[in-house]
Amino acid sequence: MSHIKQADVIIIGGGIAGIGAAAMIAEQASVVVLEAESQCGYHASGRSAAIYIPSYGGPEVSRLTTASESYFTNANEYSNGQSFLQKRGLLSLACAGEEDIMSAHLAENSGPFEISIEEAIDLVPILNPESILRASIENSARDIDTDLLLQSWVKLCRSRKGEIKTGESVSAIHRQKGNWDVQTQSQKYRAPIVINAAGAWADQVASLAAVMAAGLQPRRRSAALISSPGDYDVNNWPLFGSVAEAWYVKPMGGKLMLSPADEDPVQPHDAFAEDMTILEGIDRYERAVTVPVDRVENSWAGLRTFADDKVPVVGWEPGVEGFFWLAGQGGYGFQIAPALSLMVSKLVLDQELSADEQALTTALSPARFR
Ligand SMILES: Cc1cc2nc3c(=O)[nH]c(=O)nc-3n(C[C@H](O)[C@H](O)[C@H](O)COP(=O)(O)OP(=O)(O)OC[C@H]3O[C@@H](n4cnc5c(N)ncnc54)[C@H](O)[C@@H]3O)c2cc1C
């Protein structure tokens, strides 16, 4: 009989959620992360737009985003002394029919403020003054160095003797005598606690453990790398896009990443962009600018996974001992990761929560669906 690997906590999924939780929990307990792919961050976590937007998401997400800021801005030894956030800014634009959405965006958020069309064109000279009716800027939106964050947590986890096993796809999960037995193709793992951080596959992983689904819906989001318009140096442009989230563009390595901001519901899979979706996004973008897209250099897609209420699903499954959810981070999984990882480690290790964390646990708990 093959050897069974025992740990205090098994985490299924090596995206930013699973690795962040592992890095924090490993300080006080033995942790094994099981990741099906050959590298961590292969799925959603390797395909994000890598932006931190305080005004994005509902109140729970906002609180986690704000609570994450100090971790992001303080360099540490695992980040090679670098901060995880860099200046960017978010320029939101309203074309015809989107003016009311701009009013709501400004009324609901304290970060963004309205600027004139001339000021917007100073920031992004290719904007078309004939199609843009209103503009706002949110200076606190910043780039997240997502690779640095993931790799720094991989290092932190390993320095605390946490184990990260790639190429280990979990195919069966059974509870017996106070432990979960977790089977991969090569080995059996055993621990009293399992954390389900399987991203788009989280409902499927729950069903392996005979746990009810949380109703998570993966939604595809596509992106294309387009060549820089004309002779412009785009590096210092803000991220800019429709306030109605119909498209957005972010400077990336001297070029522009254009997303059609699609949200098509799909089954969990290794996502890729469809040409038609990219073309529709280009069409919406071209209506707002004066320079058409010259060349699409590359395209990709990833899955943003949401619960019905768009609030992450985090906490113990009611009535099922030792089964913990860490899923449904939608389009905010990076910007909330530091605060969420810390909160998860406290919940899993049964440590005292701050008043803010305490308030969030009820809102995020899977118990809301039961
Ligand atoms: C195009 C796009 C743009 C985005 N932009 C932003 C942004 O600007 N800012 C932001 O904060 N967030 C953004 N997000 C969201 C963010 O990327 C996600 O919320 C986050 O990456 C989710 O992390 P995760 O660890 O839950 O999921 P994943 O990274 O998908 O990780 C889950 C892992 O579980 C593994 N797994 C699944 N089943 C099994 C199994 N049976 N056994 C073992 N392993 C398994 C998978 O292989 C996968 O690696 C964006 C997402 C996309 C797709």
Side-chain angles (χ1 to χ4, degrees), residues 77-212:
E77 62 180 299
Y78 298 98
S79 71
N80 310 322
Q82 292 175 52
S83 157
F84 297 99
L85 294 185
Q86 288 94 36
K87 187 175 180 302
R88 176 61 61 200
L90 166 63
L91 176 64
S92 298
L93 307 164
C95 292
E98 296 172 346
E99 301 95 315
D100 290 350
I101 302 175
M102 177 64 85
S103 299
H105 175 64
L106 293 168
E108 285 161 16
N109 300 295
S110 58
F113 57 90
E114 186 145 23
I115 58 173
S116 67
I117 305 303
E118 292 72 32
E119 287 170 308
I121 292 174
D122 276 348
L123 294 168
V124 178
I126 60 167
L127 295 180
N128 187 344
E130 283 169 20
S131 38
I132 291 162
L133 304 177
R134 295 180 71 184
S136 72
I137 187 83
E138 181 172 355
N139 290 317
S140 51
R142 279 157 283 174
D143 285 351
I144 308 172
D145 193 333
T146 52
D147 288 342
L148 183 65
L149 185 67
L150 184 70
Q151 291 314 322
S152 72
W153 280 346
V154 165
K155 280 193 245 167
L156 178 59
C157 177
R158 291 194 168 131
S159 77
R160 291 173 167 171
K161 308 273 183 278
E163 290 184 64
I164 300 170
K165 307 267 189 188
T166 53
E168 287 283 73
S169 178
V170 171
S171 53
I173 309 173
H174 295 290
R175 185 82 179 169
Q176 59 155 351
K177 297 184 190 148
N179 277 302
W180 290 104
D181 279 352
V182 175
Q183 184 70 54
T184 67
Q185 70 278 28
S186 63
Q187 161 120 44
K188 189 178 274 186
Y189 296 83
R190 182 170 285 168
I193 294 172
V194 158
I195 299 181
N196 178 6
W201 291 265
D203 270 348
Q204 290 185 359
V205 163
S207 80
L208 292 177
V211 168
M212 216 194 260

Side-chain angles (χ1 to χ4, degrees), residues 11-20 33-53 56 65 72 142 144 146 150 165 167-173 182-185 196-202 204-205 208 219-223 239 248 250 257 259 262 268 271 300-306 326-337:
I11 299 181
I12 302 171
I16 195 63
I19 297 295
V33 179
L34 302 176
E35 166 53 51
E37 303 291 349
S38 60
Q39 69 194 72
C40 292
Y42 175 82
H43 287 289
S45 301
R47 308 174 193 204
S48 92
I51 191 92
Y52 171 95
I53 307 177
Y56 199 41
T65 302
F72 278 132
R142 279 157 283 174
I144 308 172
T146 52
L150 184 70
K165 307 267 189 188
E168 287 283 73
S169 178
V170 171
S171 53
I173 309 173
V182 175
Q183 184 70 54
T184 67
Q185 70 278 28
N196 178 6
W201 291 265
Q204 290 185 359
V205 163
L208 292 177
R219 293 181 177 274
R220 184 176 49 218
R221 171 128 316 175
S222 312
L239 184 149
Y248 66 85
K250 184 186 167 182
M257 185 205 90
S259 174
D262 44 328
W300 66 93
L303 303 181
R304 299 152 87 238
T305 300
F306 294 91
L326 175 52
Q329 294 90 334
Y332 345 95
F334 275 99
Q335 64 179 46
I336 64 176

